[in-house]
């Protein structure tokens, strides 16, 4: 077949136009890249067949269904399914348009190749062309699909729920439908209804205080122990180090539930021991008093977490070059001076990103709170908001979702946590090797 | 001369005092660390049931193995253990396979959308995964994955991907390209290069990944609680939590069950910890 394409590169516009007209058309018509062209065309044909269903799902996403009290429950509109299907549809459309862009780009590239070789591709080249691209496609597809369906879509979904009234008792599908409500939930939580607003402010404040002290105590506790272990001349150092790591190695479900029982106000072992020793006469409500419970939670977290930082600090100190210490010793520095002016600054410098990471981790440290106190004790607004005295935002989200079924408020809180944590995430990102080396 | 002798003697005294003080500090910390652990062991072997009946002196009431017997005869503990083992093993294997092959593709190929993908992985990694709880529930419902172990495995694997792909990709970037280029000249395909060259070379980071993705499901509570509804499908975390709820207080059974999980877990952890520390501090100090 005579090929009408000019070889000097002037046909690029024509190729691109054909590629835009229909996916894969340029590959089939001009470039003779049959395999690729057919694959692209198949994608477009598939989507064309899906158009009616795509349209319906997008409309459903906007309306979220209408109440149909006359129908049996199973046949009513399920707003939540509509919301998720709508999001999936939008994601599928984004995938489609990305493929479209890729197909046009590939056509342009193919044309340039054609100009270079002065002839279109033959069948064998077309196949090997596909095969060389097969590896990244095959390798990335499982990872891409899993992330898309089980990470991205759920996140978009929960962000969207923040703008709906999806909550018990009136808007739980399939019995009733859910509607878009705009920013109403944000208003309620940030200044609308008194008990919700005060509950939110209280929990948010405590979350920050908790994360701050939890990180700080563990960090300096771990650093202190690591320095002592390094400086001491005791032969048993490896043995002690092993003991100190133990709490970090015990699953938090186990250790926190054990502490919860030991600290139980009425029959817990700690109170019974103290009373048997006549140190106290009446039981101490370790987890029953809001303020005391907060202090106890931070202390128990120190128990669970200092081992991790001890390991890190030990690692960081062995990484410090021995020459510096020798030089300092020759200059007549005392051990304390070496510690104060050399070891500490170096270790602090190295572990600083980890403090930030640990802070963001503690903001979301579900296990430490949920298993130890379950969020209790109850405080003034607990009956309405279900947030107890030691609940942090994540455990509150959990309760709002599982017990109160207030999905809308839970989502608002999740969105707010994200907005607050995003700067920290950017900080972490800037610390990564890829960023520093300019790969991205 | 006399002066330096005296100085040396003083120095020795100060050292002695220092050593004694650190020793005391170490012993106090050890007591604080070991206190609850001793009570778990003691409660696991003590005759009573609730925390109230556990003697305040560890092992004060003598030994009994009845809680261990009860775990395997009257509760579904063995079943829970197998479930958890299944979940952890599958999660670990799938995470390693999917992550490393994706990381290899990111590390060695250039393709459209590579940068946007990698960027979005970084952003995704900062969300706490259970924020999307409700949606994951509905999606699993749609694909018949509710109340199944594989459904839970999928959730874990997907959650592991964004961060770990970066981790492994960064490692593979440091591996010299001469290796795979040489193999390519010898006629090896990409799959062959991946399995017989890349995987062995990237062994340190792969084993780190295998360990962390194996241990994480042992402790998780939120997703099993949401996905697994029937009793025989539960995991250890759910089962153990069930022994010490507000309605039920079987602290001694709980302690026995915890002991069976925690002791192999601790041994495994201690064996792998040197390796973990290197990776942690490595991540921190990379220049």
């Amino acid at each position: 077949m005579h090929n009408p394409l000019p070889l000097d590169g002037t046909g690029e516009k024509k190729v691109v136009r054909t590629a835009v007209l229909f996916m894969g058309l340029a590959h089939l018509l001009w470039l003779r890249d049959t395999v690729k062209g057919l694959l692209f065309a198949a994608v477009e044909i598939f989507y064309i067949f899906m158009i009616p269903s795509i349209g319906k799902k997008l409309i459903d996403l906007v309306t979220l269904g209408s109440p149909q009290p006359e129908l049996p429950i199973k046949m009513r509109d399920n707003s939540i399914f509509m919301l998720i299907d709508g999001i999936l549809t939008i994601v599928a459309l984004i995938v489609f348009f990305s493929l479209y862009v890729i197909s046009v780009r590939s056509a342009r590239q193919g044309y340039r190749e054609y100009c270079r070789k002065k002839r279109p591709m033959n069948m064998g080249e077309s196949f090997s062309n596909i095969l060389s691209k097969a590896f990244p496609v095959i390798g990335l597809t499982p990872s891409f699909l899993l992330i898309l369906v089980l990470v991205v879509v759920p996140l978009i979904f929960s962000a969207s729920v923040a703008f709906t009234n999806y909550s018990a008792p009136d808007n739980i599908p399939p019995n009733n439908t859910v509607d878009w409500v705009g920013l109403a939930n944000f208003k309620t939580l940030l200044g609308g209804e008194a008990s919700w607003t005060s509950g939110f402010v209280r929990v948010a404040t405590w979350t920050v205080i908790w994360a701050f002290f939890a990180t700080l105590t563990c960090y300096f506790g771990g650093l202190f122990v690591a320095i002592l272990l390094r400086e001491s001349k005791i032969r048993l150092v490896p043995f002690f180090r092993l003991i100190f790591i133990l709490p970090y190695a015990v699953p938090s479900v186990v250790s926190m539930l054990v502490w919860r029982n030991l600290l139980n106000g009425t029959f817990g072992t700690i109170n019974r021991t103290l009373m048997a020793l006549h140190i106290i006469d009446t039981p101490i409500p370790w987890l029953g008093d809001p303020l005391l419970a907060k202090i106890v939670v931070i202390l128990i977290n120190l128990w669970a977490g200092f081992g991790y930082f001890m390991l890190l600090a030990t690692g960081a100190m062995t990484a410090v070059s021995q020459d510096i210490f020798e030089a300092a010793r020759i200059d007549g520095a005392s051990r304390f001076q070496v510690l104060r002016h050399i070891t500490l600054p170096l270790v602090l410098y190295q572990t600083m990103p980890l403090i930030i990471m640990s802070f963001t981790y503690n903001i979301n440290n579900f296990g430490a709170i949920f298993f130890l106190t379950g969020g209790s004790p109850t405080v003034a607004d607990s009956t309405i908001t279900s947030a107890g005295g030691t609940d942090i935002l994540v455990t509150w989200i959990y309760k709002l979702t599982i017990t109160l079924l207030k999905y809308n408020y839970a989502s608002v809180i999740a969105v707010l946590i994200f907005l607050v944590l995003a700067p920290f995430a950017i900080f972490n990102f800037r610390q990564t090797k890829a960023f520093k080396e300019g790969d991205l | 001369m006399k002066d330096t002798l005296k100085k040396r003697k003083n120095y020795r005294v100060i050292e002695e005092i220092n050593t004694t003080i650190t020793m005391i500090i170490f012993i106090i910390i050890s007591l604080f660390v070991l206190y609850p652990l001793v009570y778990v062991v003691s409660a696991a072997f003590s005759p009573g049931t609730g925390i109230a009946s556990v003697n305040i002196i560890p092992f004060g009431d003598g030994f009994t193995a009845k809680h261990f017997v009860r775990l395997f005869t009257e509760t579904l503990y063995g079943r829970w253990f197998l479930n958890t083992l299944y979940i952890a093993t599958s999660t670990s294997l799938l995470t390693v396979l999917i992550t490393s092959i994706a990381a290899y593709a990111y590390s060695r190929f250039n393709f459209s959308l590579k940068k946007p993908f990698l960027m979005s992985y970084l952003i995704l990694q900062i969300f706490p995964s259970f924020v999307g709880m409700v949606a994951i529930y509905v999606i699993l419902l749609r694909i018949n994955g509710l109340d199944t172990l594989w459904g839970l495995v999928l959730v874990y694997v997907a959650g592991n991907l964004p961060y770990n792909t970066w981790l492994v990709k960064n490692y593979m970037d440091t591996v010299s390209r001469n290796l795979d280029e040489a193999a390519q000249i010898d006629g090896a395909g990409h799959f062959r290069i991946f399995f017989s060259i890349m995987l062995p070379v990237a062994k340190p980071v792969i084993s780190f990944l295998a360990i962390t993705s194996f241990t994480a499901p042992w402790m998780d509570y939120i997703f099993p609680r949401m996905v697994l509804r029937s009793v025989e499908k539960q995991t250890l975390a759910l089962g153990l939590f069930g022994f010490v709820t507000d309605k039920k207080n079987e602290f001694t059974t709980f302690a026995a069950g915890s002991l069976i999980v925690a002791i192999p877990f601790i041994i495994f952890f201690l064996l792998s910890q040197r390796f973990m520390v290197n990776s942690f501090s490595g991540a921190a100090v990379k220049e």
Side-chain angles (χ1 to χ4, degrees):
Chain A
M1 188 184 107
H2 168 73
N3 200 302
L5 274 190
L7 292 169
D8 52 3
T10 47
E12 189 167 310
K13 253 188 187 157
K14 202 169 167 188
V15 171
V16 169
R17 244 180 249 154
T18 329
V20 172
L21 200 66
F22 199 93
M23 248 169 120
L25 191 60
H27 289 87
L28 290 169
L29 217 53
W30 310 120
L31 304 168
R32 305 238 190 118
D33 194 349
T34 330
V35 185
K36 220 172 183 178
L38 286 176
L39 283 175
F40 277 132
V43 170
E44 176 143 359
I45 290 168
F46 173 76
Y47 273 91
I48 288 176
F49 272 105
M50 298 302 282
I51 282 179
S53 141
I54 290 175
K56 186 185 176 312
K57 293 216 176 331
L58 290 181
I59 293 170
D60 282 348
L61 178 65
V62 176
T63 63
L64 289 183
S66 43
Q68 296 152 306
E70 71 286 355
L71 289 178
I73 284 184
K74 273 200 170 166
M75 293 170 71
R76 291 182 195 169
D77 281 351
N78 189 322
S79 310
I80 291 316
F81 286 2
M82 290 177 170
L83 184 50
I84 289 184
D85 290 350
I87 292 168
L88 277 169
T89 309
I90 290 180
V91 169
L93 283 177
I94 293 174
V95 171
F96 174 69
F97 284 115
S98 314
L99 283 174
Y100 219 123
V101 171
I102 290 174
S103 80
V104 173
R105 267 200 211 166
S106 146
R108 196 172 55 196
Q109 236 167 32
Y111 175 65
R112 285 179 188 163
E113 188 80 347
Y114 164 87
C115 291
R116 207 166 49 80
K117 280 190 185 158
K118 312 284 181 207
R119 62 174 177 80
M121 226 177 266
N122 60 38
M123 202 61 172
E125 280 172 330
S126 177
F127 258 114
S128 69
N129 190 12
I130 283 287
L131 275 183
S132 73
K133 301 249 167 81
F135 186 88
V137 173
I138 296 172
L140 288 175
T141 305
S143 138
F144 178 71
L145 282 180
L146 276 174
I147 292 180
L148 202 62
V149 175
L150 287 169
V151 181
V152 177
V153 170
L155 284 176
I156 301 175
F157 169 82
S158 43
S160 333
V161 167
F163 305 96
T164 68
N165 58 5
Y166 183 20
S167 64
D170 295 329
N171 297 93
I172 297 293
N175 291 341
N176 332 88
T177 53
V178 174
D179 307 297
W180 294 107
V181 294
L183 292 170
N185 301 315
F186 289 86
K187 278 182 198 147
T188 313
L189 279 176
L190 298 175
E193 279 171 47
S195 51
W196 282 101
T197 307
S198 70
F200 174 75
V201 172
R202 177 176 61 75
V203 177
T205 319
W206 161 236
T207 305
V208 175
I209 296 175
W210 144 260
F212 179 77
F213 281 108
T215 307
L216 220 65
T217 50
C218 286
Y219 181 80
F220 285 108
L223 190 61
F224 172 73
V225 174
I227 289 170
L228 269 190
L229 282 172
R230 188 196 155 91
E231 300 287 318
S232 76
K233 298 274 183 316
I234 302 169
R235 276 215 200 91
L236 290 169
V237 160
F239 170 73
F240 279 119
R241 187 178 289 139
L242 192 70
I243 290 182
F244 298 160
I245 297 170
L246 284 180
Y248 180 56
V250 181
S252 72
V253 183
V254 171
S255 56
M256 291 299 142
L257 285 175
V258 170
W259 274 113
R260 179 196 204 141
N261 279 277
L262 294 179
L263 288 164
N264 187 299
T266 39
F267 45 75
T269 316
I270 293 178
N271 273 344
R272 284 193 289 131
T273 311
L274 290 176
M275 282 160 81
L277 294 173
H278 297 291
I279 296 174
I280 54 167
D281 295 326
T282 47
I284 299 174
W286 296 108
L287 303 174
D289 172 76
L291 180 66
L292 186 58
K294 283 177 180 164
I295 297 169
V296 169
V297 167
I298 289 171
L299 282 177
I300 301 301
N301 185 67
L302 172 64
W303 177 88
F306 83 95
Y308 172 71
F309 281 106
M310 182 191 80
L311 288 180
L312 285 179
T314 313
M317 282 192 291
T318 40
V320 174
S321 159
Q322 288 299 314
D323 304 352
I324 303 179
F325 292 116
E326 220 151 277
R329 220 165 287 143
I330 290 166
D331 288 349
S334 76
R335 251 161 64 179
F336 182 75
Q337 278 171 322
V338 172
L339 185 69
R340 167 85 183 70
H341 294 287
I342 297 176
T343 314
L344 266 186
L346 279 172
V347 171
L348 278 175
Y349 172 75
Q350 285 194 13
T351 46
M352 194 52 91
L354 288 155
I355 300 183
I356 308 276
M357 265 168 76
S358 167
F359 180 79
T360 52
Y361 171 80
N362 276 320
I363 293 260
N364 288 323
N365 195 341
F366 178 83
I369 304 287
F370 186 77
F371 297 122
L372 185 56
T373 67
S376 54
T378 48
V379 291
D381 58 53
S382 290
T383 40
I384 299 171
T385 62
S386 83
T390 55
D391 261 318
I392 55 175
L393 290 170
V394 271
T395 58
W396 193 27
I397 293 180
Y398 184 78
K399 283 182 176 175
L400 285 173
T401 315
I402 298 286
T403 39
L404 275 196
L405 305 181
K406 294 264 182 219
Y407 300 107
N408 52 346
Y409 292 165
S411 294
V412 170
I413 298 166
V415 169
L416 291 175
I417 293 184
F418 171 69
L419 291 181
V420 174
L421 286 189
F424 290 105
I426 293 166
F427 174 84
N428 279 345
F429 167 58
R430 294 171 72 94
Q431 296 293 319
T432 58
K433 203 170 158 247
F435 180 82
K436 283 184 180 167
E437 285 172 7
D439 277 356
L440 277 169
Chain B
M1 192 68 186
K2 208 179 169 187
D3 216 36
T4 45
L5 262 181
K6 202 177 165 190
K7 224 179 183 176
R8 222 175 261 169
K9 206 178 164 193
N10 271 342
Y11 184 70
R12 212 174 287 156
V13 172
I14 291 170
E15 279 290 284
E16 290 276 305
I17 294 171
N18 271 344
T19 313
T20 323
I21 292 174
T22 31
M23 195 69 187
I24 292 169
I25 295 175
F26 284 164
I27 289 171
I28 292 173
I29 301 174
S30 302
L31 288 178
F32 178 58
V33 163
L34 292 175
Y35 180 81
L37 303 179
V38 168
Y39 273 101
V40 186
V41 182
S42 131
F45 292 102
S46 102
T49 52
I51 180 85
S53 63
V54 175
N55 198 310
I56 56 171
I57 300 159
F59 304 106
D61 290 334
F63 282 89
T64 169
K66 70 171 187 183
H67 302 304
F68 293 94
V69 177
R70 196 179 111 73
L71 275 179
F72 288 100
T73 53
E74 291 167 48
T75 73
L76 289 169
Y77 189 84
R79 182 82 241 160
W80 300 336
F81 198 96
L82 290 180
N83 287 344
T84 316
L85 194 65
Y86 171 85
I87 293 168
T89 317
S90 320
T91 306
S92 179
L93 285 177
L94 277 177
T95 305
V96 164
L97 191 71
I98 299 180
T99 310
S100 54
I101 207 163
Y104 178 67
Y106 279 120
S107 171
R108 290 300 193 261
F109 291 87
N110 269 316
F111 46 89
S112 358
L113 296 185
K114 177 176 166 175
K115 272 184 189 180
F117 276 15
L118 281 172
M119 283 296 284
S120 47
Y121 282 17
L122 273 177
I123 296 164
L124 289 176
Q125 171 219 317
I126 58 176
F127 289 93
S129 54
F130 68 89
V131 163
M133 209 156 44
V134 179
I136 291 177
Y137 184 87
V138 177
I139 290 168
L140 286 180
L141 180 78
R142 276 290 171 91
I143 59 172
N144 285 325
L146 272 192
D147 204 24
T148 63
L149 299 182
W150 63 262
L152 193 60
V153 170
L154 277 190
V155 175
Y156 284 142
V157 173
N160 281 343
L161 284 173
Y163 175 76
N164 290 326
T165 306
W166 265 100
L167 186 83
V168 180
K169 176 198 171 283
N170 277 348
Y171 189 92
M172 287 180 172
D173 284 345
T174 62
V175 175
S176 161
R177 268 155 212 262
N178 294 342
L179 272 181
D180 24 319
E181 268 157 23
Q184 228 164 346
I185 290 166
D186 290 348
H190 284 299
F191 283 96
R192 183 103 183 267
I193 296 176
F194 172 71
F195 281 109
S196 54
I197 297 180
M198 211 46 170
L199 278 189
V201 174
K203 214 164 145 195
V205 76
I206 300 279
S207 15
F208 174 75
L209 188 61
I211 292 169
T212 48
S213 54
F214 182 83
T215 47
W218 288 87
M219 312 190 214
D220 187 43
Y221 175 82
I222 304 178
F223 282 115
R225 168 81 201 278
M226 182 191 79
V227 176
L228 309 170
R229 290 303 160 109
S230 42
V231 192
E232 71 276 8
K233 294 261 172 61
Q234 289 192 337
T235 62
L236 283 168
L238 289 183
L240 289 177
F241 191 76
F243 288 129
V244 285
T245 53
D246 298 332
K247 288 165 211 142
K248 199 157 116 187
N249 191 336
E250 298 182 30
F251 186 72
T252 47
T253 317
F254 166 80
S258 303
L259 215 56
I260 298 176
V261 204
I263 286 188
F265 198 88
I266 291 172
I267 293 172
F268 177 69
F269 182 89
L270 293 179
L271 289 179
S272 60
Q273 77 47 31
R274 184 174 294 270
F275 181 67
M276 311 249 293
V277 178
N278 288 341
S279 312
F280 282 144
S281 52
V285 296
K286 248 180 205 145
E287 289 301 326

